[in-house]
Amino acid sequence: RFCCVCQPLPPASGSPPLACNRLSFNMVKLFGRKTTKEEQSPLMATGDGSVTSQRQQERAQRRAAREQRALAMKGARESPSKSSKKSNKRQLSQEDQDEKDARLGCCTKFTQFIVKIVHLIDALIGITFIVYGSLIYLHFEEPAMEAVITSLSFGCIVLLSSLMGIFGFSFKTCKRCGLVFSSWAAIPIAFCYTFVIVALLGSPDTYFNYLTEHKDVLYLTDTEINAIKKCLPVFYIVLASLAATEICRFWILREIRNRLVRYDSAKKRIASSSSNRSQLTESLIGDDYTYDEGEGAGHDV
């Protein structure tokens, strides 16, 4: 028989020595406590993995929260730089657009020249009808009032539209509103030309009988009335050309007006930006001059 410290026990004694008993008690107590802790520890437990899985889930959640915070901080850092880039790009595009609008091409200038000639022709036609109607009304006691009203009304419309067009080309006020009026006035003028063509094609004898009856107050003779009858096809072509010209003027004048409004706005913005730059340069030069004077005065002292 041996004790726990490998010493032989006396055969006659029935119990181990006192020291051996104490040592054995302490060893049993020590190993028993370690076993109990291992059984109580959730990490060392082999049969139950619920606590381990719960901790893994918590770690995953914390990791996801950290990643979200990192992404949010990265977006906050990048958003000011993106907005500044967009603003710079917008500013550059506006400056480029102003430079583009501030230049009128050859086609635009040629179109303006043609439209101005049309306005001058309309002005001459309007003045002619106004003068003709005034002569009929003033020089005769019993004038042909139908011819007077027609001549004065048509002449005033044509002359007013041409004058407004010339005003719109010459002045920039109210975004060239004169061109808007002139373009829309082209529609009733074209309608008048078309109405005369249709009326003459429908019943030419009615109008020629009226001319024959009032030839004295209309400053006409039989020879001139017969010449007008013979030249009716040419008269139709002239009226159709004038109507087509007015319709084209309506469409083209609107485009020209929009182009000129952009041109005026671009010129205004460029002039304001250049004036601001000149003022800033003058202020900087003035600051440098005062600084140099102050520095020279200090050296003199």
Side-chain angles (χ1 to χ4, degrees):
R1 296 173 61 189
F2 294 89
C3 69
C4 57
V5 292
C6 299
Q7 293 182 1
L9 296 175
S13 61
S15 62
L18 182 59
C20 185
N21 290 333
R22 288 179 179 177
L23 183 59
S24 300
F25 177 76
N26 291 332
M27 291 178 69
V28 171
K29 185 177 180 181
L30 180 62
F31 285 109
R33 184 166 57 249
K34 286 182 178 180
T35 305
T36 305
K37 286 183 179 180
E38 289 176 2
E39 291 176 355
Q40 292 177 357
S41 177
L43 295 175
M44 300 300 293
T46 57
D48 190 6
S50 61
V51 179
T52 304
S53 61
Q54 184 178 0
R55 290 192 176 184
Q56 290 177 355
Q57 292 177 359
E58 292 177 355
R59 290 174 182 172
Q61 292 177 359
R62 288 195 295 271
R63 190 182 299 110
R66 285 196 300 271
E67 291 177 354
Q68 290 179 358
R69 286 196 298 270
L71 291 174
M73 293 176 65
K74 185 177 179 182
R77 287 194 300 268
E78 290 180 354
S79 58
S81 62
K82 289 182 178 179
S83 62
S84 62
K85 289 180 181 179
K86 288 181 180 179
S87 63
N88 292 331
K89 188 180 293 185
R90 191 181 301 112
Q91 185 177 2
L92 292 175
S93 64
Q94 182 65 39
E95 292 177 356
D96 295 338
Q97 187 66 31
D98 289 340
E99 292 180 359
K100 182 180 179 181
D101 292 337
R103 293 190 300 268
L104 295 176
C106 297
C107 295
T108 304
K109 293 180 180 179
F110 180 74
T111 307
Q112 288 184 20
F113 177 73
I114 296 298
V115 174
K116 288 178 181 178
I117 290 175
V118 172
H119 280 89
L120 291 176
I121 293 172
D122 285 344
L124 293 176
I125 293 173
I127 292 171
T128 302
F129 273 90
I130 290 173
V131 171
Y132 183 67
S134 300
L135 289 175
I136 295 172
Y137 181 73
L138 295 175
H139 287 186
F140 298 98
E141 295 181 357
E142 295 180 357
M145 293 304 299
E146 295 84 359
V148 171
I149 294 172
T150 303
S151 299
L152 292 178
S153 300
F154 182 74
C156 289
I157 293 173
V158 175
L159 181 61
L160 182 61
S161 66
S162 62
L163 292 178
M164 291 300 293
I166 295 170
F167 176 80
F169 278 114
S170 302
F171 301 98
K172 304 175 183 178
T173 55
C174 299
K175 294 184 178 181
R176 300 183 183 267
C177 60
L179 297 179
V180 178
F181 181 86
S182 178
S183 63
W184 285 101
I187 295 177
I189 295 172
F191 176 77
C192 290
Y193 290 136
T194 307
F195 176 79
V196 172
I197 294 172
V198 173
L200 289 176
L201 288 174
S203 58
D205 296 333
T206 303
Y207 296 97
F208 282 106
N209 292 332
Y210 180 83
L211 294 177
T212 304
E213 291 176 1
H214 300 83
K215 61 182 179 180
D216 296 331
V217 297
L218 295 177
Y219 298 97
L220 294 174
T221 61
D222 294 332
T223 305
E224 294 173 349
I225 293 173
N226 293 327
I228 292 172
K229 287 183 180 179
K230 294 178 181 179
C231 296
L232 272 181
V234 179
F235 193 63
Y236 293 150
I237 293 172
V238 171
L239 290 176
S241 301
L242 290 173
T245 303
E246 296 297 330
I247 293 172
C248 293
R249 189 183 77 169
F250 169 73
W251 291 107
I252 294 172
L253 201 56
R254 295 175 64 189
E255 297 294 331
I256 292 175
R257 184 254 177 185
N258 294 331
R259 181 69 181 87
L260 291 177
V261 168
R262 293 197 303 270
Y263 173 80
D264 298 335
S265 301
K267 282 289 187 180
K268 186 177 180 180
R269 283 192 293 267
I270 290 172
S272 62
S273 63
S274 62
S275 63
N276 293 332
R277 289 174 184 173
S278 63
Q279 291 176 1
L280 180 61
T281 305
E282 291 176 358
S283 63
L284 291 174
I285 292 172
D287 293 339
D288 293 338
Y289 180 71
T290 54
Y291 176 75
D292 292 338
E293 286 184 349
E295 189 176 7
H299 284 301
D300 293 338
V301 174

